[in-house]
Amino acid sequence: MKVQGFARSLIAIAIGATVSSSVIAGEMASQVVDKGLTFTIGGAYNDLDSVRDLDNKLAPEVGIGYRLNDRFSVEGIYSQYSTDQKTGGDADLKEFRLDAFYDLTPWDGSLTPYVVAGISELETDLKVDGEHDDTRMNAGFGLRKAFTPNLSIRGDVRAVRTLDYAQTEAMTNVALTWTFGSVAKAAEPVAVVEPVQEEVVAKVEPAPVLDADMDGVLDKDDLCPNTAAGITVDQTGCEPMKAIDLLVNFEFDSEIINKEGVDQIAKMGEFMQRYPEARIRIEGHTDASGQAAYNEKLSVRRADIIRQQLIEKHGIDAERIDAVGMGESEPVATNDTVEGREQNRRVTAEVISG
């Protein structure tokens, strides 16, 4: 088969395959082999610069490469074809090319744009003028699409710079690529077994515990819900002049008090009303996300907003409340996890005199 006829046939097959597979190709998304050895067969149209005095030509190409992941792949390409000299006579050309491809979106079988760059050595055997070698560099843009998990088609256009002739040429490529390997298996669905019909027995749920620390004060009224067993408490559930803890957590980069925080502040307000001589120190804290200077200011704002709630909502004298910001300096959990950072975004309070 003549070189030109072969290249034209290959391009026609590729175009026909693209049209006929337009429906099934959409189903191949996320079902392609994205790592493994590749084999490529294709055709290229070489728009040769006039300095060469050669006719432009379609040429077959064959290549072996490797797809590293869903973005990168490399290929070594060999091409051999013949053309005519414009001054008369034949010319035989061989090209050895190394190309690198980068998919602009992760390769999943759908229509995917890519950029390509490569370097090649072109050997030209002119029947009249003898042999010439030329180093060429190329770069371009193209699209690829999958037919099956292993088979795909690509096409691109490239600018080619000849280093020995100092000229710019053009090249258009169409190729079919087979990637060896198999698609990673997804987790198999768990078989659903229909349960055997049995007599339904009503399950009696235990009554909720209303007094967790068993101190005689219901949880809804207990300002000290974790009193040790045997401790004498008053009607608030606390030992006489027993300090209570305040803990309010915040969302990321937020000063908004959630419902649980409002309840905690209310209990602290009741405590300070009951003990008018008590003074407290409120400390604001943050996680380690962001700049330390910003986190310090944020922790101060968090402490201040709790202080203002106690003053404005519960009538506590401002002189009885100190508020400071500790920034990210005193974490109570690791800042490497979401849960740890949630625990570190907090405001606490302690009784400092009474």
Side-chain angles (χ1 to χ4, degrees):
M1 180 183 290
K2 292 183 179 180
V3 170
Q4 184 175 358
F6 171 79
R8 286 176 174 170
S9 299
L10 180 63
I11 294 174
I13 292 171
I15 294 173
T18 302
V19 173
S20 64
S21 65
S22 59
V23 175
I24 64 171
E27 299 176 358
M28 299 311 303
S30 301
Q31 298 293 322
V32 294
V33 179
D34 60 6
K35 184 176 183 180
L37 189 69
T38 61
F39 175 76
T40 297
I41 184 169
Y45 181 79
N46 293 277
D47 186 5
L48 302 172
D49 191 88
S50 59
V51 173
R52 298 182 188 273
D53 284 330
L54 298 175
D55 289 340
N56 299 334
K57 205 72 170 181
L58 286 169
E61 295 183 337
V62 64
I64 295 177
Y66 192 82
R67 173 167 279 279
L68 286 80
N69 50 44
D70 61 1
R71 293 275 194 172
F72 291 98
S73 58
V74 293
E75 277 186 357
I77 301 292
Y78 174 73
S79 177
Q80 179 178 345
Y81 61 100
S82 298
T83 187
D84 298 323
Q85 293 182 256
K86 295 180 180 179
T87 56
D90 296 331
D92 295 327
L93 295 91
K94 296 180 181 178
E95 185 174 30
F96 303 87
R97 191 172 76 243
L98 179 64
D99 291 334
F101 299 84
Y102 177 74
D103 293 345
L104 298 180
T105 57
W107 173 236
D108 62 359
S110 60
L111 192 63
T112 303
Y114 65 85
V115 291
V116 59
I119 187 169
S120 65
E121 186 71 15
L122 180 65
E123 298 179 358
T124 306
D125 184 3
L126 305 175
K127 300 303 181 183
V128 177
D129 299 326
E131 296 183 355
H132 298 281
D133 292 343
D134 182 16
T135 301
R136 309 200 304 168
M137 299 186 70
N138 71 82
F141 172 85
L143 297 169
R144 73 171 82 243
K145 190 174 186 180
F147 298 148
T148 72
N150 300 88
L151 182 63
S152 62
I153 186 173
R154 73 163 188 262
D156 56 62
V157 292
R158 311 186 194 186
V160 182
R161 183 66 177 177
T162 66
L163 302 185
D164 296 315
Y165 287 94
Q167 300 293 321
T168 300
E169 301 174 333
M171 179 169 55
T172 303
N173 290 269
V174 176
L176 295 171
T177 299
W178 182 272
T179 304
F180 294 91
S182 57
V183 179
K185 292 184 178 180
E188 296 184 359
V190 178
V192 178
V193 180
E194 292 294 335
V196 178
Q197 295 293 331
E198 297 179 355
E199 182 181 357
V200 178
V201 179
K203 183 178 180 180
V204 179
E205 296 291 340
V209 177
L210 301 178
D211 183 10
D213 57 5
M214 306 298 289
D215 62 357
V217 179
L218 296 181
D219 289 344
K220 65 183 182 66
D221 301 319
D222 199 338
L223 299 183
C224 301
N226 298 311
T227 305
I231 299 297
T232 301
V233 299
D234 59 18
Q235 70 273 14
T236 66
C238 300
E239 295 181 68
M241 196 48 195
K242 179 67 175 179
I244 68 171
D245 294 328
L246 170 68
L247 175 61
V248 179
N249 291 103
F250 291 84
E251 297 294 327
F252 174 71
D253 196 21
S254 173
E255 305 162 24
I256 299 175
I257 303 171
N258 56 28
K259 183 180 183 303
E260 292 78 5
V262 171
D263 293 341
Q264 286 284 312
I265 295 169
K267 287 187 176 183
M268 179 57 78
E270 293 174 13
F271 173 82
M272 296 192 72
Q273 290 171 357
R274 182 169 177 269
Y275 301 110
E277 299 301 319
R279 296 183 65 251
I280 64 171
R281 171 187 169 92
I282 298 175
E283 293 182 354
H285 302 266
T286 71
D287 61 27
S289 303
Q291 298 292 325
Y294 176 82
N295 287 338
E296 184 173 357
K297 294 178 181 178
L298 176 59
S299 67
V300 171
R301 294 198 300 271
R302 286 174 174 172
D304 284 340
I305 197 169
I306 301 298
R307 181 175 183 270
Q308 287 303 117
Q309 285 283 313
L310 289 170
I311 295 171
E312 297 174 1
K313 301 290 186 181
H314 301 280
I316 307 302
D317 187 351
E319 297 296 324
R320 299 173 59 196
I321 309 172
D322 295 337
V324 295
M326 309 304 293
E328 61 189 54
S329 63
E330 296 184 3
V332 293
T334 177
N335 278 297
D336 295 332
T337 65
V338 173
E339 294 78 7
R341 291 192 293 272
E342 288 177 350
Q343 294 179 48
N344 290 333
R345 297 192 296 266
R346 68 196 192 280
V347 167
T348 61
E350 64 175 347
V351 178
I352 56 178
S353 68

